[in-house]
Amino acid sequence: MAHCGSGEVLIVGGVGCNLRLQEMMGVMCKERNAKLFATDERFCIDNGAMIAQAGWEMFRSGQVTELEDSWITQRYRTDEVEVTWRD
């Protein structure tokens, strides 16, 4: 919220199952008059499908990365990703 000036937080993926995280995020949102959205267990799974969707959106918009130009960064911050496939 602080990095992108948002008034909303959505907790998804494997960490979404963490009830303590949900509680802490709830306190933070309450202090900032923000909204918290936490999904139920059906959506608290690995982000593989979300990563695949992002790849599909990139491909559809014409953004293609050659295999030799690609790499893996496990701790990549989502707020540092350049989104080029939407306005």
Side-chain angles (χ1 to χ4, degrees), residues 8-27:
E8 299 176 333
V9 173
L10 172 62
I11 301 176
V12 295
V15 298
C17 292
N18 186 323
L19 297 178
R20 177 67 179 135
L21 174 64
Q22 291 181 22
E23 178 185 332
M24 290 171 26
M25 294 296 284
V27 169

Side-chain angles (χ1 to χ4, degrees), residues 30-69:
K30 186 175 180 180
E31 290 173 350
R32 290 165 176 76
N33 197 27
K35 294 180 182 178
L36 170 64
F37 301 94
T39 59
D40 64 37
E41 291 178 357
R42 294 174 299 161
F43 302 105
C44 294
I45 54 176
D46 192 313
N47 286 331
M50 291 178 252
I51 293 167
Q53 182 67 35
W56 171 246
E57 296 298 338
M58 292 170 72
F59 177 77
R60 265 186 355 145
S61 72
Q63 184 176 349
V64 178
T65 303
E66 297 297 328
L67 184 59
E68 57 270 6
D69 296 328

